[in-house]
């Protein structure tokens, strides 16, 4: 029951976040002149969706795609609008750590159980 509640809350947050970015046009028409690839902790398709949504909603990001097999995210972005440090912060803000930055604890606590670290499941 609690896991279901967390999933519903997570999906609701994603919907709200996606709506805000769609309305503001933050990533609409973003062009790419740079790309970065880095490791991000991830377990499942829900992780993939949350991380990609957070990055694709970041101003200046043209496209982000996570490979769950190797936990590497590839991000194409406009370096005049966003830098790699901000990409790591977007992952942390969604509740996921990278090798550069830890996750934001409050965001991590709101993740579904399946998206948490094995030791926290």
């Amino acid at each position: 029951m609690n896991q279901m509640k967390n999933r519903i809350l997570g999906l609701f947050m994603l919907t709200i976040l996606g709506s805000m970015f769609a309305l503001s046009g933050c990533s609409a028409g973003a062009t790419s002149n740079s790309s970065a690839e880095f490791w991000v902790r991830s377990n499942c398709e829900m992780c993939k969706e949350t991380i990609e949504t957070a990055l694709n909603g970041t101003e200046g990001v043209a496209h982000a795609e996570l490979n769950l097999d190797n936990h590497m995210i590839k991000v194409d972005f406009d370096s005049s609008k966003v830098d790699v440090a901000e990409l790591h912060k977007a992952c942390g803000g969604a509740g996921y750590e990278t090798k550069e930055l830890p996750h934001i604890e409050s965001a991590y606590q709101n993740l579904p159980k399946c998206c948490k670290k094995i030791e926290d499941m």
Side-chain angles (χ1 to χ4, degrees):
M1 184 70 164
N2 197 21
Q3 184 178 7
M4 179 65 96
K5 202 188 313 184
N6 283 342
R7 282 187 182 181
I8 290 170
L9 178 61
L11 290 173
F12 176 76
M13 289 173 57
L14 283 175
T15 302
I16 296 298
L17 191 64
S19 297
M20 287 181 355
F21 289 120
L23 290 173
S24 67
C26 286
S27 63
T31 59
S32 165
N33 66 1
S34 296
S35 65
E37 191 170 0
F38 55 90
W39 179 90
V40 61
R41 188 197 55 75
S42 52
N43 301 335
C44 63
E45 287 294 325
M46 287 179 71
C47 295
K48 177 178 169 61
E49 183 179 337
T50 303
I51 294 164
E52 288 176 353
T53 298
L55 285 165
N56 284 317
T58 300
E59 184 175 4
V61 171
H63 181 72
E65 188 168 346
L66 177 65
N67 180 329
L68 280 173
D69 293 332
N70 62 10
H71 310 281
M72 297 296 286
I73 187 126
K74 183 173 189 291
V75 186
D76 298 319
F77 62 98
D78 180 341
S79 61
S80 69
K81 295 182 179 177
V82 66
D83 62 23
V84 175
E86 290 173 286
L87 302 177
H88 285 269
K89 286 179 187 175
C91 291
Y96 296 88
E97 65 193 57
T98 69
K99 289 186 178 179
E100 300 295 318
L101 284 174
H103 60 257
I104 301 297
E105 188 62 29
S106 59
Y108 177 76
Q109 291 304 323
N110 287 324
L111 293 175
K113 189 174 183 178
C114 62
C115 295
K116 294 190 176 181
K117 297 176 186 179
I118 293 170
E119 59 267 23
D120 294 338
M121 288 185 174

